[in-house]
Amino acid sequence: MLLADWEIKRAIELKQLTVDPFDETLIQPNGIDIRLGSEFKFIGKQSKFTAPSVIIKPHETLLCTSYERLRMPRDLAGLICLKSTFARKGLTAPTTVVDSGYEGRLTLVLTAGPLEIQLKVGQPIWYMLLIRSSPVEKPYTGKYQGVDTLAYS
């Protein structure tokens, strides 16, 4: 079941779900906007970097962090999608699952289409739908648990 805006606010108020830093204006009818963080790495290039903004040239793929640090409870999962505003500009992003029990900053992927696009840190780029399930028996404990920096293998 998708959570409604008031259920998201309540989960945050009760500290069942952590979104840090939290900005109530990012809550949407069935999810929460996720903003662009400040750590980046272009696929095929060696070094990661921090910056207040980034330009993605046509057909480049960028790894980037989320601005928010999340802590998901055992009965919620997230589904991260690109906001349609950016899809209309030719940007693409794979749908990403945030498992129950996950904690940390997300590393997300963006690929530019035929046009160059500039993005600014703090800009809402993704939308995370929040889905309630029965509490999971085995919450996420993978290699990205607790990671707060850009993660790539």
Side-chain angles (χ1 to χ4, degrees):
M1 168 177 75
L2 288 177
L3 263 63
D5 50 3
W6 65 270
E7 292 173 299
I8 296 165
K9 285 180 197 174
R10 183 149 173 80
I12 292 169
E13 287 168 1
L14 295 173
K15 300 194 184 323
Q16 296 166 344
L17 168 67
T18 301
V19 178
D20 183 33
F22 175 63
D23 179 348
E24 192 170 328
T25 65
L26 298 176
I27 294 178
Q28 302 300 323
N30 294 106
I32 187 164
D33 287 343
I34 301 293
R35 297 174 287 184
L36 182 69
S38 61
E39 285 188 78
F40 308 101
K41 182 186 183 313
F42 285 101
I43 299 291
K45 302 204 176 152
Q46 291 185 348
S47 58
K48 62 182 180 177
F49 61 96
T50 59
S53 66
V54 64
I55 295 173
I56 310 173
K57 294 181 180 165
H59 310 293
E60 280 189 321
T61 299
L62 179 72
L63 295 172
C64 44
T65 55
S66 64
Y67 190 80
E68 290 79 15
R69 184 176 202 284
L70 304 174
R71 187 182 55 76
M72 303 295 288
R74 293 172 67 120
D75 65 342
L76 283 184
L79 188 62
I80 305 270
C81 306
L82 185 68
K83 290 180 66 85
S84 62
T85 301
F86 295 97
R88 290 185 191 105
K89 294 178 181 181
L91 201 60
T92 61
T95 302
T96 303
V97 174
V98 183
D99 286 313
S100 300
Y102 173 81
E103 185 172 345
R105 289 190 195 282
L106 300 168
T107 294
L108 298 162
V109 179
L110 295 170
T111 301
L115 303 174
E116 181 175 286
I117 187 165
Q118 180 173 10
L119 303 172
K120 296 178 182 171
V121 170
Q123 195 171 15
I125 306 288
W126 303 274
Y127 184 75
M128 181 171 67
L129 294 166
L130 289 162
I131 305 159
R132 185 169 311 280
S133 71
S134 297
V136 297
E137 190 174 295
K138 295 180 182 177
Y140 180 81
T141 58
K143 69 180 181 177
Y144 301 117
Q145 182 72 313
V147 174
D148 287 323
T149 60
L150 190 75
Y152 58 95
S153 304

